[in-house]
Amino acid sequence: MPDLHVVVLAAGKGTRMKSALPKVLHHVSGRPLIEYVLRSADALQPSSTTVVIGHAAQHMREALAGRDVSLVLQEPQIGTAHAVVQTEQLLGRKTGTLLLLSGDVPLLRRHTLRQLVSAHDEAGAAATVLTATVERPYGYGRIVRTRTGEIARIVEERDASPAERAIREINSGVYAFDLPPLWEALKSVAAENAQGEYYLPDLIGIYRRRKLPVMTVMVTDPREIRGINSRTELAEVSAIVRQQKNEELMAAGVTLVDPATTYIEPDVVVGPDTVIHPNVYLEGSTVIGSACEIHAGSRIVDSTIGDRVTINNYTIVRSSVVGPGVELGPFAHLRPGADVRAGAHIGNFVELKKTVFGEGSKASHLSYLGDATVGAGVNVGAGTITCNYDGVTKHPTIIEDGAFIGSDSQLVAPVRVGKNAYVAAGSSIVEDVPPGALGIARGRQSNITDWVARKRKSTPVG
Ligand code: UD1
Ligand code: CA
């Protein structure tokens, strides 16, 4: 939208969070609060976006590095009106509309913001307040209306009379302002209230007294304007985000056995006919194919899983790729850079790291494969370990197609096991095994006849 300037307030400490971390950097479903706000703002394609920072400013600068936003410092943080005043240096000579967002109100939909700005622009209002009617108005500023139903002013919880506290229409903390008259009016805001702060909502009463046109737009779904001031509200808003994601996935054909204990972050994609059991975590940029089954207790982060994959209980997958028809777990651990190809099987207590595991290959029990390239049709026996680290650097292991690694073998990297070769169980392989050969590297067995009987004589039983 042309002539639209977005300002996001994010300078406050968030005292009620009782945290060393700035409030707007706390996460809801895997993303910082401010990320939600900035994404909604970006969708409107404004001419500029400014974030007001103050508390833990350095931390905020780092968190917002690389984003196309201007940062303005508010020091000290003495109220929301004072925070907006700090943007005058950037926006003081601009015309058009200022859309003011709060860094701690993450659920607003872009559609609602568009509606707010359009209604404001069409009416030619000086200010438009986004409001909602809620069951529990506690903590929010209340919308006080005249007898004819027009907005008169906004009163904060702490400064409200008992009658005003009973009002259930609340201020969302989101407003559209006509830019030119804003700066002069902000100078009239006084800090005469219970907190001794410069309150932005006071501007509404000031505009009304000056006979400037002020409007309100009410959201239909009051969940959208939920602000976060405490850890309880953080959890409540997280639950809303989670529930919305679950509903979206179920509508698209995904079975969630128990949505109440399913944790799927907003950017995750899941194909139809996939069944997700309780206590599963799907995070970050994860993509799951169709007709998969993911059993209880599994966690998948930033990974791509193909179609018809079975993930058994308590499997962890991070930054990895899993091909179609694969079976993982229970208790498998795919660390970053695992690439498990079609139809392969990674069984219990098997750990992979930076390893390509070829089509149809199997590592069914108790193994560590790191920095390895395993071909197709390979059988990795129980207890196989790639010794990839010599204390200084990591080295690669290559296991070619059709090879068979006997149980309890160590492959000391760098090393290569050739095509169709065998490694005898219990071997410590330090040299390459040529294709088709048997590599055997262990002490020879000798049986000492009658050893037990002789021992018994000299060591009485009991
Ligand atoms: C504010 C509104 C209240 C509204 C509610 C909606 C005021 C005085 N009250 O209350 O009417 O119902 O939001 O969620 O505005 N901030 C700064 N600098 C400051 C103070 C705050 O940048 O000096 C930022 C905060 O970081 C936060 C936002 O402004 O992102 C709102 O501040 P907060 O203290 O949370 O206000 P509320 O008490 O929630
Ligand atoms: Ca707030």
Side-chain angles (χ1 to χ4, degrees):
M1 290 175 145
D3 279 345
L4 177 69
H5 299 274
V6 172
V7 169
V8 180
L9 299 189
K13 181 165 189 265
T15 312
R16 290 161 277 183
M17 296 295 283
K18 305 217 164 60
S19 176
L21 191 69
K23 175 167 69 178
V24 299
L25 297 185
H26 280 263
H27 283 210
V28 159
S29 219
R31 284 186 209 148
L33 295 181
I34 190 139
E35 179 70 28
Y36 285 83
V37 179
L38 290 175
R39 283 202 200 186
S40 309
D42 282 352
L44 303 187
Q45 295 178 297
S47 310
S48 73
T49 302
T50 306
V51 182
V52 182
I53 60 171
H55 174 72
Q58 192 48 33
H59 203 142
M60 289 294 295
R61 275 197 191 92
E62 286 161 20
L64 295 171
R67 289 203 77 109
D68 186 19
V69 296
S70 308
L71 300 180
V72 165
L73 190 67
Q74 181 200 14
E75 195 64 64
Q77 297 89 44
I78 47 173
T80 43
H82 180 257
V84 179
V85 169
Q86 312 312 309
T87 66
E88 186 176 1
Q89 42 178 305
L90 283 181
L91 304 172
R93 276 190 288 276
K94 298 270 194 272
T95 55
T97 302
L98 186 153
L99 173 63
L100 190 98
L101 303 176
S102 241
D104 64 347
V105 181
L107 300 185
L108 279 168
R109 288 181 307 144
R110 40 199 72 172
H111 174 70
T112 304
L113 295 180
R114 259 192 221 108
Q115 268 184 333
L116 171 70
V117 173
S118 305
H120 170 86
D121 288 351
E122 275 159 31
T128 304
V129 186
L130 189 67
T131 74
T133 300
V134 297
E135 287 302 316
R136 291 182 299 148
Y138 178 76
Y140 291 94
R142 309 296 205 283
I143 306 294
V144 180
R145 292 188 178 269
T146 64
R147 237 174 288 141
T148 53
E150 287 166 345
I151 183 167
R153 59 193 173 86
I154 299 173
V155 62
E156 290 304 302
E157 171 95 27
R158 288 165 184 257
D159 305 300
S161 66
E164 287 166 339
R165 280 188 196 165
I167 298 173
R168 292 195 298 120
E169 189 185 5
I170 59 153
N171 171 23
S172 68
V174 171
Y175 323 75
F177 292 109
D178 183 27
L179 272 159
L182 179 64
W183 314 108
E184 175 54 36
L186 277 171
K187 296 195 175 85
S188 325
V189 174
E192 287 152 10
N193 49 55
Q195 290 256 85
E197 287 191 354
Y198 296 89
Y199 285 169
L200 186 61
D202 286 358
L203 209 55
I204 301 306
I206 292 169
Y207 274 20
R208 291 287 292 161
R209 286 197 292 281
R210 294 182 179 188
K211 306 268 185 279
L212 289 168
V214 180
M215 286 190 18
T216 57
V217 167
M218 199 188 280
V219 293
T220 39
D221 181 356
R223 290 188 302 182
E224 269 192 64
I225 54 88
R226 289 292 302 264
I228 293 176
N229 296 312
S230 65
R231 306 261 183 173
T232 300
E233 286 166 342
L234 186 70
E236 286 168 356
V237 167
S238 300
I240 294 171
V241 171
R242 214 151 55 73
Q243 192 192 341
Q244 283 171 345
K245 181 67 183 181
N246 288 348
E247 280 164 12
E248 181 191 301
L249 289 174
M250 289 188 283
V254 178
T255 292
L256 303 183
V257 173
D258 179 17
T261 58
T262 306
Y263 303 83
I264 305 178
E265 290 181 0
D267 291 340
V268 171
V269 176
V270 184
D273 285 327
T274 284
V275 176
I276 299 175
H277 290 266
N279 259 309
V280 165
Y281 297 76
L282 304 179
E283 301 175 21
S285 57
T286 292
V287 177
I288 311 275
S290 53
C292 294
E293 184 147 15
I294 305 179
H295 288 274
S298 294
R299 177 172 181 231
I300 305 173
V301 185
D302 296 329
S303 297
T304 301
I305 312 291
D307 297 336
R308 300 177 312 284
V309 169
T310 301
I311 298 183
N312 292 305
N313 301 74
Y314 304 106
T315 292
I316 298 172
V317 179
R318 287 172 50 220
S319 304
S320 293
V321 178
V322 173
V326 164
E327 185 171 352
L328 302 178
F331 299 101
H333 188 185
L334 269 52
R335 290 169 52 207
D339 176 355
V340 179
R341 304 280 165 90
H345 177 217
I346 301 292
N348 47 191
F349 306 109
V350 174
E351 173 182 343
L352 261 58
K353 188 220 68 174
K354 275 196 197 153
T355 285
V356 177
F357 197 77
E359 217 175 299
S361 292
K362 291 185 167 64
S364 300
H365 337 261
L366 300 159
S367 290
Y368 171 61
L369 301 170
D371 304 298
T373 305
V374 178
V378 168
N379 195 309
V380 176
T384 296
I385 291 171
T386 54
C387 308
N388 59 329
Y389 186 49
D390 60 12
V392 182
T393 34
K394 305 276 169 75
H395 300 283
T397 299
I398 295 166
I399 304 174
E400 293 180 352
D401 294 352
F404 182 99
I405 313 298
S407 295
D408 194 27
S409 295
Q410 302 94 56
L411 306 172
V412 182
V415 74
R416 174 187 293 262
V417 177
K419 199 170 173 183
N420 296 327
Y422 265 59
V423 166
S427 292
S428 291
I429 298 295
V430 295
E431 285 165 23
D432 290 357
V433 181
L438 169 69
I440 180 162
R442 64 183 185 219
R444 269 188 181 278
Q445 178 172 345
S446 59
N447 293 335
I448 303 167
T449 339
D450 294 334
W451 181 87
V452 178
R454 275 187 277 122
K455 267 279 182 218
R456 282 275 158 81
K457 252 180 253 156
S458 55
T459 2
V461 183

